[in-house]
Amino acid sequence: MKNVLITGITGQDGSYLAELLLSKGYRVYGYNRRTSSQNTTRITHLLDKITVLYGDITDSFSIYKALKTAEPVEFYNLAAQSFVGSSWDLPESTCEIDGLGVVKCLEAIKNYNPEIKFYQASTSELYGKVKESPQNENTPFHPRSPYGFAKMMGYWATVNYRESYNMFAANGILFNHESPRRGIEFVTRKISYGVAKIKLGLEKTITLGNLDAKRDWGYAPEYVDAMWRILQQKQAEDYVIATGKAHTIRDFVREAFAAIGINNWEQYVKTDAKFLRPAEVHELIGDARKAEINLKWKSKIDLSELTKIMVNADIELISKGEHK
Ligand code: NAP
Ligand code: G4F
């Protein structure tokens, strides 16, 4: 049986990746930071199948200890302060976690066992003010937020440890991917949750920021499969993972309301400048042809299906009286 270590196990992707790797027969170790109240809601159903180790990727020794306990063959670094919006309020800690934290993981692996394969959760936010469309593995970066420039350090650290020490270290440059497990502060979940509340008569409107931004949205369970495939290759390489289709926030809102049979969605949506960002990433669209050829990976769920999945899940959640 192969052992695997996942940082960010309590997050959206960590929970889906843990399910996938358990189904493939891995022994899963998750790395979870200490919080004052329990934050394991996304992995409650997995707690008797995985081992949770306490640690924080800003704390090198805790990473080293986790390696010693888990003895992983694969290490997926999904831990991050992942909300772009908060990164302007938390620029230093975002850099500590999303930038330096990656260096700490790589150093720990290099010193403990450089044979461990390393996956870094890189992001389309690296492209920021885009230099070409669609974006592929060779498109130059221009990050537009503390989150973006912190992740840029993580990206280049991964490339450099691969080139300098011949380690199997690879970046997945993932475009936005969503699910019913998405954090409530991200725009897709904010919309699906808001639409579900409107459907159930609990709310009258949703208040959003920039409706014109475009994103390439996929379905998270498909994207964690791409992560695994990246680490199964003969050679460590970086991959763009995306659907190849971009839609505006307005399109997402329209589809989400259509899922509950409402066409005149405009009367339910307000905008407020407090949700605008100091610098916006206006349009992201990925070219995942390299992944399609080498990894045999392609996204299947389109925007209309994605919004239905998310809105229906939120209707069920709220109806059962459960929290976001
Ligand atoms: P998420 O739901 O916000 O999960 C982030 C995880 O990181 C949580 O488990 C969180 O723990 C953990 N974490 C935060 N700070 C930590 C620290 N100092 N030490 C240890 N763990 C820490 O994010 P996600 O959507 O699953 O994304 C997973 C990764 O992919 C992130 O690195 C994100 O930046 C990247 N990414 C995401 C997308 C996307 O569209 N979802 C696209 C590209 C890249 P708590 O539960 O304690 O907060
Ligand atoms: O849902 P978002 O907050 O996601 P964003 O900024 O694209 O970042 C996500 O995807 C990245 C991959 O590209 C990940 F690396 C990152 O970790 C995260 O998962 O915002 C999407 C867009 C933005 O243009 C934002 O300005 O939606 C716009 N928006 C409009 N109204 C809003 C709102 N975003 C949020 N969060 N809340 C709003 O009310």
Side-chain angles (χ1 to χ4, degrees), residues 142-183:
H142 185 145
R144 294 271 278 173
S145 64
Y147 173 79
F149 59 72
K151 281 282 184 179
M152 191 139 153
M153 183 192 229
Y155 171 91
W156 283 116
T158 303
V159 171
N160 273 265
Y161 274 68
R162 177 169 78 219
E163 293 176 350
S164 308
Y165 308 116
N166 204 22
M167 284 165 54
F168 193 113
N171 288 288
I173 308 172
L174 271 53
F175 283 62
N176 299 50
H177 46 280
E178 318 295 316
S179 76
R181 297 185 197 167
R182 189 54 141 152

Side-chain angles (χ1 to χ4, degrees), residues 27-41:
R27 188 181 289 119
V28 174
Y29 289 83
Y31 181 80
N32 182 21
R33 62 179 166 168
R34 192 260 164 194
T35 45
S36 67
S37 59
Q38 214 189 19
N39 68 341
T40 49
T41 47

Side-chain angles (χ1 to χ4, degrees), residues 76-315:
Y76 294 84
N77 181 35
L78 309 187
Q81 190 301 93
S82 75
F83 186 44
V84 174
S86 291
S87 74
W88 280 281
D89 297 322
L90 303 166
E92 290 181 26
S93 65
T94 301
C95 288
E96 293 280 353
I97 303 166
D98 300 11
L100 205 51
V102 186
V103 180
K104 292 181 184 187
C105 292
L106 286 161
E107 264 302 296
I109 292 173
K110 185 187 95 189
N111 289 302
Y112 184 70
N113 174 6
E115 297 298 310
I116 297 169
K117 291 180 171 182
F118 179 76
Y119 173 89
Q120 169 56 19
S122 284
T123 166
S124 47
E125 281 291 304
L126 296 172
Y127 300 118
K129 193 172 176 185
V130 299
K131 302 288 184 236
E132 63 182 5
S133 278
Q135 297 85 48
N136 64 32
E137 293 80 3
N138 299 316
T139 302
F141 298 147
H142 185 145
R144 294 271 278 173
S145 64
Y147 173 79
F149 59 72
K151 281 282 184 179
M152 191 139 153
M153 183 192 229
Y155 171 91
W156 283 116
T158 303
V159 171
N160 273 265
Y161 274 68
R162 177 169 78 219
E163 293 176 350
S164 308
Y165 308 116
N166 204 22
M167 284 165 54
F168 193 113
N171 288 288
I173 308 172
L174 271 53
F175 283 62
N176 299 50
H177 46 280
E178 318 295 316
S179 76
R181 297 185 197 167
R182 189 54 141 152
I184 195 70
E185 66 276 32
F186 297 91
V187 76
T188 55
R189 184 77 199 288
K190 185 173 170 185
I191 295 166
S192 67
Y193 196 76
V195 167
K197 279 195 141 182
I198 290 169
K199 166 77 179 167
L200 296 170
L202 299 170
E203 213 62 83
K204 289 197 168 41
T205 55
I206 309 174
T207 307
L208 299 168
N210 177 12
L211 299 182
D212 296 320
K214 283 187 172 175
R215 289 292 182 276
D216 178 330
W217 283 297
Y219 184 44
E222 294 180 354
Y223 282 51
V224 299
D225 176 50
M227 296 176 186
W228 175 76
R229 286 171 191 257
I230 288 172
L231 291 200
Q232 309 317 305
Q233 301 307 298
K234 282 210 173 71
Q235 271 196 328
E237 286 184 43
D238 307 320
Y239 287 93
V240 161
I241 302 297
T243 71
K245 294 194 181 71
H247 300 276
T248 59
I249 312 301
R250 189 176 274 104
D251 293 334
F252 196 101
V253 173
R254 187 185 302 113
E255 289 290 343
F257 275 100
I260 59 163
I262 289 180
N263 295 321
N264 56 340
W265 60 271
E266 287 90 344
Q267 68 187 75
Y268 298 95
V269 176
K270 292 186 193 164
T271 54
D272 189 323
K274 77 176 178 208
F275 294 114
L276 299 178
R277 296 173 173 183
E280 179 62 285
V281 171
H282 295 289
E283 180 172 353
L284 291 173
I285 177 167
D287 171 359
R289 274 177 298 177
K290 181 179 172 189
E292 203 176 326
I293 294 165
N294 293 4
L295 307 179
K296 315 279 177 253
W297 181 91
K298 197 170 170 35
S299 86
K300 295 186 190 73
I301 301 279
D302 67 10
L303 184 74
S304 166
E305 279 179 88
L306 177 64
T307 50
K308 281 194 194 90
I309 291 169
M310 292 179 70
V311 169
N312 289 336
D314 276 329
I315 291 173

